[in-house]
Amino acid sequence: MKVLRTRTEQEAEERTRLAPFAMASADSAGRVVPEAPHPYRTHFQRDRDRIVHARAFRRLQYKTQVFVCHEGDHDRNRLTHTLEAAQIARTVARVLRLNEDLAEAVVLAHDLGHTPFGHAGERVLAELLRAEGGFDHNRQSLRVVDLLEQRYPRFRGLNLTDETRGGILKHGAHFEHPVPLPRLTPQPLLEAQLADAADEIAYTSHDVDDGLRSEILHPRALAEVPLWRDVSGEVVPRLPAAAEESVVRSQHLIALLDRLITDLEESTAAALEAAGAVSVEEVRQAPKRLVGLSSELRGPFLELKRFLADRFYHHPRVLARTREAEGVLRDLFLLYRKDPSALPEPVRARFSEDGEARAIADYVAGMTDRFAMAEYRRLRGRR
Ligand code: MG
């Protein structure tokens, strides 16, 4: 038995293992700057590896998901969120015979463009950059992988494949981007559709967990949400009466995740069969997305999301921190604009190419929560 498997052999194996509507590595449209293929890694494995080794990826660890500056050691941050979402995407990709490596790469990169302090940061930068083309985290993720990471002498960015970049950008966009945009079709690739679904399932379920642990969400209020009540009905009778509260909560979370992921797998398989999809191109040109929850579960899932929005994301304790964070980012941006000498040299060096506002926004968006706070204190102290 020959042990070593070359990339070409792995690509051939993909053709037998993956569904015809999965994105085969060998069919990739390639990279903006052509590169010789790797002898042992497929194109999408290589994309994934480049993302994991990126500085922006490591910074996800210190960026908020919902809470600002880690109120608790067990709360999710963007890195743990990303890993949970990637795991869901890989599980589902394997079951549906999709390209696990591509789905994983897209998920690992999907939040790279997120500002510090969760969505607060995104709102502020969008407002400050209104006259300069706006700000959006998907587009910023593409800027990170296309322009802001610097690891190669021949090009800016990571030079990822067209398919990974398309999955990161998500939807059509008209904005200035110095690198040719990835190919965008009426529907994204199934692996990219899956990345979105995995993201949504991951944050919804872990936010319930964080909300309960922080005691911002109350189990009694949650019990009014039909999907949660349903899950409870399944979980509680199985548990010993003396089960610890943390075990009860975890068992609910496990059952919720399993229910959502199983439904996603089964309903997507049914949708693919019903659509008679036989090729990647048919998926791209389809009138609607094929990856998604069943119509039975979609409603209850949206109701759970609405509950989170009302009771968690908009809870006074979370909102107070959000307002504070918005103020910090706005001030940081304006202080740098007023006095660019406060910026590190490499940021100023990009003014001529990227424009001053955009270069500052890239810098501020890339910050971790704690670095943004430290910079804010430093600059305020200087004034
Ligand atoms: Mg996400």
Side-chain angles (χ1 to χ4, degrees):
M1 177 198 177
K2 182 173 158 278
V3 173
L4 203 56
R5 284 194 312 162
T6 63
R7 172 189 45 83
T8 2
E9 284 166 346
Q10 292 177 54
E11 285 174 354
E13 192 200 274
E14 267 189 4
R15 298 241 186 248
T16 64
R17 186 167 43 89
L18 301 184
F21 42 73
M23 184 67 219
S25 311
D27 296 338
S28 170
R31 306 174 191 280
V32 173
V33 180
E35 290 181 66
H38 193 276
Y40 295 115
R41 287 181 299 160
T42 65
H43 304 304
F44 301 140
Q45 279 181 289
R46 217 175 176 190
D47 280 359
R48 178 199 58 202
D49 298 347
R50 288 179 183 194
I51 293 160
V52 169
H53 290 292
R55 278 178 10 143
F57 186 77
R58 296 196 291 281
R59 287 200 302 264
L60 291 174
Q61 186 176 3
Y62 299 107
K63 288 192 177 199
T64 301
Q65 187 67 22
V66 176
F67 288 103
V68 171
C69 289
H70 312 304
E71 289 197 355
D73 281 356
H74 300 125
D75 293 334
R76 268 71 175 187
N77 56 55
R78 288 219 177 269
L79 181 64
T80 60
H81 157 69
T82 296
L83 296 176
E84 289 182 32
Q87 174 165 322
I88 294 170
R90 286 186 42 202
T91 301
V92 179
R94 199 179 292 185
V95 168
L96 296 176
R97 301 171 196 276
L98 298 178
N99 196 318
E100 218 175 301
D101 297 326
L102 175 59
E104 186 182 19
V106 172
V107 177
L108 291 176
H110 88 284
D111 270 354
L112 291 178
H114 257 295
T115 58
F117 311 131
H119 287 278
E122 182 173 18
R123 274 192 300 272
V124 169
L125 287 183
E127 181 194 308
L128 290 166
L129 286 152
R130 197 172 295 147
E132 336 263 344
F135 183 92
D136 160 85
H137 75 268
N138 293 323
R139 164 189 169 181
Q140 191 65 16
S141 296
L142 194 68
R143 281 188 70 81
V144 170
V145 299
D146 280 355
L147 298 161
L148 302 179
E149 283 293 319
Q150 285 192 298
R151 297 171 57 85
Y152 298 89
R154 277 203 302 143
F155 42 79
R156 274 177 77 174
L158 303 176
N159 198 32
L160 303 179
T161 62
D162 191 78
E163 293 75 20
T164 302
R165 295 174 65 235
I168 294 170
L169 185 55
K170 286 190 183 176
H171 16 68
H174 299 282
F175 57 86
E176 271 186 53
H177 190 66
V179 180
L181 285 176
R183 179 181 172 218
L184 293 166
T185 42
Q187 305 304 331
L189 293 166
L190 291 172
E191 287 81 358
Q193 296 183 30
L194 171 56
D196 285 354
D199 179 31
E200 195 183 21
I201 289 176
Y203 72 70
T204 303
S205 40
H206 66 51
D207 287 351
V208 172
D209 192 31
D210 284 351
L212 284 171
R213 278 185 312 93
S214 65
E215 294 178 353
I216 288 178
L217 293 180
H218 293 287
R220 243 181 300 117
L222 201 52
E224 304 289 305
V225 181
L227 178 55
W228 190 261
R229 207 170 43 219
D230 242 42
V231 166
S232 261
E234 175 197 323
V235 168
V236 175
R238 284 199 315 238
L239 289 171
E244 297 244 3
E245 195 196 306
S246 64
V247 172
V248 176
R249 193 181 59 242
S250 298
Q251 286 298 310
H252 275 78
L253 260 296
I254 291 167
L256 174 67
L257 266 180
D258 194 55
R259 185 176 286 213
L260 291 169
I261 294 169
T262 303
D263 183 88
L264 180 68
E265 290 165 348
E266 292 175 356
S267 76
T268 303
L272 285 165
E273 280 162 20
V278 289
S279 71
V280 170
E281 209 44 41
E282 277 175 357
V283 165
R284 280 186 180 272
Q285 304 301 336
K288 60 181 175 61
R289 289 190 173 216
L290 294 163
V291 178
L293 294 172
S294 66
S295 49
E296 296 79 55
L297 202 57
R298 188 75 204 156
F301 180 63
L302 289 179
E303 215 170 311
L304 176 61
K305 287 183 66 170
R306 267 196 303 274
F307 175 84
L308 279 174
D310 294 345
R311 307 288 183 92
F312 188 30
Y313 311 142
H314 292 120
H315 186 277
R317 195 171 126 200
V318 175
L319 277 185
R321 307 298 298 270
T322 304
R323 297 269 139 74
E324 223 178 288
E326 286 174 350
V328 168
L329 280 199
R330 184 176 294 110
D331 282 5
L332 265 184
F333 182 90
L334 296 173
L335 286 165
Y336 288 134
R337 286 237 52 179
K338 210 161 155 200
D339 178 13
S341 76
L343 288 160
E345 211 313 284
V347 178
R348 270 177 289 136
R350 296 227 330 276
F351 280 7
S352 56
E353 206 178 321
D354 294 343
E356 192 175 317
R358 184 61 60 187
I360 294 175
D362 285 340
Y363 183 54
V364 171
M367 291 178 180
T368 61
D369 296 4
R370 59 184 194 175
F371 184 78
M373 282 311 298
E375 269 298 274
Y376 177 72
R377 283 190 214 106
R378 180 179 77 91
L379 295 179
R380 291 298 293 257
R382 264 172 34 151
R383 275 213 310 198

